[in-house]
Amino acid sequence: MTWSMALNLAERLSMVATAAFILSRTPALGRILSRQLTTTDRVLLILVLGGMGIVGTYAGIPINGALANSRVVGVMVAGLLGGPLVGAGAGLIAGVHRYFIGGFTAFSCGLAAVAEGSLGGLIQRFYRRSPVPWSVALAAGLAGETLQMAIILLTARPFSEALALVTIIGPPMIIVNSLGVAIFMLIVKTAAEQQDHIAACQAQRALDIANQTLPFLRHGLNRESAEAAAGIIFNSIKVAAVSFTDRQEILAHVGMGSDHHHPGNPILTSATLQAIARGELQLAQTRGEIGCRDRNCRLASAVVVPLRRREATVGALKLYRDRENSITPVDLELARGLAHLFSTQLELAEVEYQARLRSQAELKALQAQVHPHFLFNALNTITSLIRTRPEKARELLIKLASFFRYSLKRDDNPIPLEEELAHVDAYLAIEETRFGNKLEVIRRVEPATLGCSVPAFTLQPVVENAIKHGLQPRPRGGRLILTACDRGREVVVTVADDGVGIAPAEIQKILLPGYGHGHGLGLAIVNERLKALYGPEYAVQVNSAPDRGTEVILRFPKEVKAVGHRGVQEKDELYRCCG
């Protein structure tokens, strides 16, 4: 083997690294490696790598009327990246060019170029889900160059000259060009992995920022939430400034320029107005495009991404740099990722707000169901006592006033169980007086349970159902037992009666909203509220049998975590800016 020829060929392989680097920087690389090539991508690969084969021919070393060259690198890489058609196409371009140069190996080398490109494409077929490894590319290069030497021996004439040529150029070309193919694929694969790593890091960074901003953006897009979110982004990534806007004005601006980019100022940047109007990412690469009226403003470029809620654009997120034309592809991807996550958060805030309104509407419906007939019965009872037992009538009026005062003041925010039980006691005081000896109430409440937080207006509808639908239909009335037990991580409240009971077929139906006359609305709303607040495992449990009574079990966790779209520890103020 001629070592000097091998070294000369190796020197000419610098173009391999250059071509691999250029390819690694193209947007098409991801599509190439993921086997999602478009027709345009295939044509460009054929032309570029076929051209690389031509350059390899020109960089060849003349030997006895032939060329020791690196043409195989371009055409085989074309096949390894693009498949048989791309490999054969690049080989055809390089091969036809070599044929017209002439020489006694012109036809042989032209044919070999097409064959080597096709061989690379066939090997690529075995790696449909990942790039061809460099070790396989090395083996493919060895096989391809060996194939070229065999084609020269079979087709070039005179044979003696072909044999002499292969003896000289064969070993160095087989070794050096195989290494060139392997190096090219290794550079491309490394570049792709680096891009994937950068993308993964950016995605993780975006998720971390979204996680930190969630408690603020869940309240909607307003000055307070925008200020907090902008500060989090500014402290998490290296940009000159971060800004949020709604459709008309700046909501928050943190970083460079905050001395004159004040919240409440109208939007001036044309890119921002276009992003909001079109719902598409916009770039401002110069100070003029940013359009700041302050001559000393150092903000020089920006990426603007719209923030959407459902189908509507509600504002924009802007990331600034202090140099013109300095917005990088990394900035663009990060901005897109953040905008997508923030838009999702804003949509969730809207859903949460609407769910809160629906919950309050359900509660008001439940209160409306209870109050009219209870008020009518209570007033009748008090009226009958005014002359015969005025002190009792006065006591019941106080209880009635307490009952309605509680209902008017409270929504579904959490309260201590002790307060909820006091509301139930006010109700029972009136009902015990109305039913007399037909209603016996037994209370078994453990003191340790009284501090547990429960949703307001939860127990009274269950107690009322027990009296109205369990005991009242029985001529002799019955007994109601109210129990509250401490079970470690939760408090269990049971409302049991020995009334008429419920048929087995009806038990599951009574928890369906709107079922029946009375049962359905009250128990269904209590059931849905508990599931929404604590999770489906906290659904109301109903045990009953005809003529043996009914037992309704409600469970309340001591440590409350928000579940689904609402949590019992949230206050109304948190929702005023939603939507």
Side-chain angles (χ1 to χ4, degrees), residues 330-349:
V330 173
D331 294 332
L332 295 179
E333 290 305 314
L334 179 60
R336 285 193 182 98
L338 288 176
H340 178 73
L341 291 171
F342 290 165
S343 296
T344 301
Q345 290 176 345
L346 292 175
E347 288 188 14
L348 291 175

Side-chain angles (χ1 to χ4, degrees), residues 148-201:
Q148 178 176 348
M149 299 307 150
I151 291 175
I152 291 175
L153 291 175
L154 290 173
T155 59
R157 294 295 179 269
F159 178 78
S160 58
E161 293 186 16
L163 180 60
L165 176 66
V166 169
T167 302
I168 297 172
I169 70 171
M173 284 183 61
I174 290 173
I175 294 175
V176 174
N177 288 342
S178 300
L179 289 173
V181 173
I183 290 171
F184 192 107
M185 294 299 295
L186 181 61
I187 292 174
V188 169
K189 184 175 183 294
T190 302
E193 290 175 347
Q194 184 179 17
Q195 289 183 6
D196 290 342
H197 177 69
I198 292 173
C201 289

Side-chain angles (χ1 to χ4, degrees), residues 305-426:
V305 281
L307 299 175
R308 303 178 65 84
R309 188 175 62 223
R310 298 183 182 177
E311 299 301 320
T313 300
V314 296
L317 165 66
K318 299 193 283 187
L319 305 182
Y320 289 96
R321 294 283 184 185
D322 58 358
R323 291 184 296 109
E324 293 189 347
N325 300 299
S326 60
I327 298 297
T328 66
V330 173
D331 294 332
L332 295 179
E333 290 305 314
L334 179 60
R336 285 193 182 98
L338 288 176
H340 178 73
L341 291 171
F342 290 165
S343 296
T344 301
Q345 290 176 345
L346 292 175
E347 288 188 14
L348 291 175
E350 172 70 9
V351 172
E352 188 175 2
Y353 177 62
Q354 294 299 328
R356 180 71 171 187
L357 293 179
R358 184 168 58 253
S359 175
Q360 292 176 346
E362 291 171 349
L363 182 60
K364 296 301 181 184
L366 182 57
Q367 293 171 326
Q369 175 208 11
V370 172
H371 292 170
H373 74 261
F374 173 68
L375 177 61
F376 177 78
N377 292 331
L379 290 177
N380 278 342
T381 300
I382 294 170
T383 299
S384 66
L385 295 173
I386 288 177
R387 292 186 178 181
T388 59
R389 299 172 62 190
E391 286 301 319
K392 185 65 175 178
R394 180 178 179 276
E395 178 187 340
L396 293 183
L397 280 174
I398 293 173
K399 294 286 187 181
L400 183 62
S402 175
F403 179 89
F404 279 97
R405 186 182 302 111
Y406 178 93
S407 300
L408 292 174
K409 286 176 58 179
R410 293 290 178 181
D411 53 18
D412 58 349
N413 288 326
I415 60 169
L417 176 62
E418 182 177 16
E419 193 170 337
E420 179 71 4
L421 288 174
H423 177 62
V424 172
D425 286 341

Side-chain angles (χ1 to χ4, degrees), residues 239-257:
V239 291
V242 179
S243 180
F244 279 91
T245 75
D246 58 16
R247 294 185 62 87
Q248 289 84 31
E249 63 182 33
I250 298 172
L251 294 177
H253 185 99
V254 176
M256 188 179 295

Side-chain angles (χ1 to χ4, degrees), residues 70-84:
S70 57
R71 178 174 53 251
V72 66
V73 176
V75 298
M76 180 148 289
V77 165
L80 293 175
L81 291 177

Side-chain angles (χ1 to χ4, degrees), residues 19-30:
F21 175 77
I22 293 173
L23 179 63
S24 70
R25 308 306 296 176
T26 62
L29 178 64

